[in-house]
Amino acid sequence: DKGGFEHFMLKEIYEQPLTLEETFRGRLRNDHSEIVLGGLLDVFPKLEQAGRIIIIGCGTSWHAALIGEYLIEEYAQTPVEVEYASEFRYRNPVIGEKDVVILISQSGETADTLAALRLAKEKGATVLGICNVAGSSLARETDAGVYTHAGVEVGVASTKAFTAQVAVLTMIALQLAKRKETIDAETYRMLVKELSETPAKGRLILESNKKIAAIAEKYKEAVNALYLGRGYLFPVALEGALKLKEISYVHAEGYAAGEMKHGPIALIDDNLPVIVVAPQDAYYEKVVSNIQEVKARKGNVIAVVTEGDTGLHEMVNDVIEIPRSHLAVAPLLAVIPLQLLAYHIAVLKGCDVDRPRNLAKSVTVE
Ligand code: F6R
C-alpha cells in the first residue's frame, strides 16, 4: 500500500521522521542521559576492548558504514575499518579474536555480506549485525545486534533503511564513547539531544519537496552529475550519487570535496550539475572554496545549506535549506533532499522508480 503516494520510494522518504522515531524508541532516554541498546548489552565489554572494529556492507549499507567509521573514531577513539563485503570475503583479511565485526544489511540476506559474516566468525571475531529484517539470516547468524526498525522497505532504492542504519551507528558510537569515557558528559548529552531532534527536523526538510521538484525540472536533461561533501557528509555525497544513478540512470559520482582538484574538476563545465552538501559546520569554509572553484569553471551548483545561510544563496544556482544541527547528526538530515532530488529527476525522466532496471531489492547471488 503506497498510502496515497505515487511511489513506494516517495512514501518511504516521507516516512523517515517516523522511522527515526521508531529506531530511537526505548533507546534514547527522554532526559538525554543514556542510550539503551538492549541487543548489545552483553557484548559492550567486547566492543570496549576491541583493538579494532571492522564495518562491512554493500551499496547503501556500505555508505552508512563509512559514517559509522567517522563517528566511532571521533567519539569512541577505536580504530575502524570499512570494507565492501565482496572484497573482504575474497581477500584473506587479517582478523582475529580481538576484532569486532559489524555487518550492516537492510535485508539481512545479501549473499556477499553473509559470506563476510561467516568468514569473520570462522576467524574468531565477535560478529554484530545492524539489520532491518527480523529473523533474517544476518540476524540469526550474528552474535548480537541492533534492529533498525525502519519497517518494510519496498522501493529498491534504499532510503529509510539508510537513515535508520546511520541512527543506529550514531547510537553505538555515542554509547561506546560513554562507556570508554572518551566523551565528556556534556557533549554526550548534547549529542543525544541532537539525535532526538532529527525526526522533527526531517519533517521540516520534507516541506521543501515542491521546491526540490522544481530544481529537478531544471536539471532533468543532465547526463552527468557530481556530488560533493566533506567529513560526515562525504558518504552522504556518495549516497546521493548512488540514488541518482540507480533510479534515473544518470551517471553520477560522489566525491570527498577535497578530492575534486585531483581529477573530477576536469569534468566541470556549464552542463554539469554539482550538488554540494554545504551546511555551516566545521568544514564550511573549505566547502565554500570548493563551490567557488566549481563556479569559476561555469559549473551549476545546487547547494544543500543551513537555513538562513543567505551568503551562499548568491553564489550558487539553487539552494535547498536544512535546519541547523550538530555535524555528527547532519547525515540524517542532509541525505533527505538528495533522495528527493533523485526521486524527482527519475520521475521526470519517466523511469520506473520503485523497480529500476537490472536491480533487485535483495542481492542473494554473489
Ligand atoms: C541502494 C541499494 C543497494 C543496497 C545493497 C545492500 O539503494 O538498495 O545498494 O543497499 O544491495 O543491501 P542490504 O542492505 O539489504 O544488504
Side-chain angles (χ1 to χ4, degrees), residues 58-61 105-107 110 156-158 165 242-243 246 363:
C58 305
T60 287
S61 297
S105 176
Q106 187 286 128
S107 61
T110 300
V156 163
S158 186
Q165 289 165 346
L242 179 63
K243 290 302 87 143
E246 64 185 333
V363 184

Side-chain angles (χ1 to χ4, degrees), residues 23-69:
T23 302
F24 295 142
R25 188 180 310 282
R27 292 170 172 165
L28 299 188
R29 286 257 172 85
N30 286 338
D31 62 357
H32 311 124
S33 64
E34 193 72 36
I35 298 170
V36 184
L37 296 168
L40 295 186
L41 276 184
D42 292 344
V43 293
F44 252 119
K46 277 261 182 207
L47 267 169
E48 282 162 54
Q49 287 147 26
R52 179 171 69 146
I53 295 173
I54 301 167
I55 317 181
I56 296 174
C58 305
T60 287
S61 297
W62 182 79
H63 294 155
L66 291 175
I67 296 170
E69 172 186 18

Side-chain angles (χ1 to χ4, degrees), residues 305-360:
V305 308
T306 303
E307 77 193 334
D309 181 5
T310 46
L312 264 189
H313 288 216
E314 285 150 36
M315 209 185 293
V316 302
N317 302 73
D318 295 281
V319 286
I320 305 167
E321 295 193 321
I322 59 172
R324 189 173 295 279
S325 75
H326 191 279
L327 79 157
V329 305
L332 294 169
L333 305 173
V335 75
I336 299 175
L338 304 190
Q339 295 167 340
L340 285 169
L341 185 66
Y343 170 79
H344 288 295
I345 290 178
V347 169
L348 288 165
K349 293 176 82 77
C351 299
D352 187 349
V353 174
D354 285 334
R355 293 162 50 89
R357 69 186 184 203
N358 309 340
L359 292 173

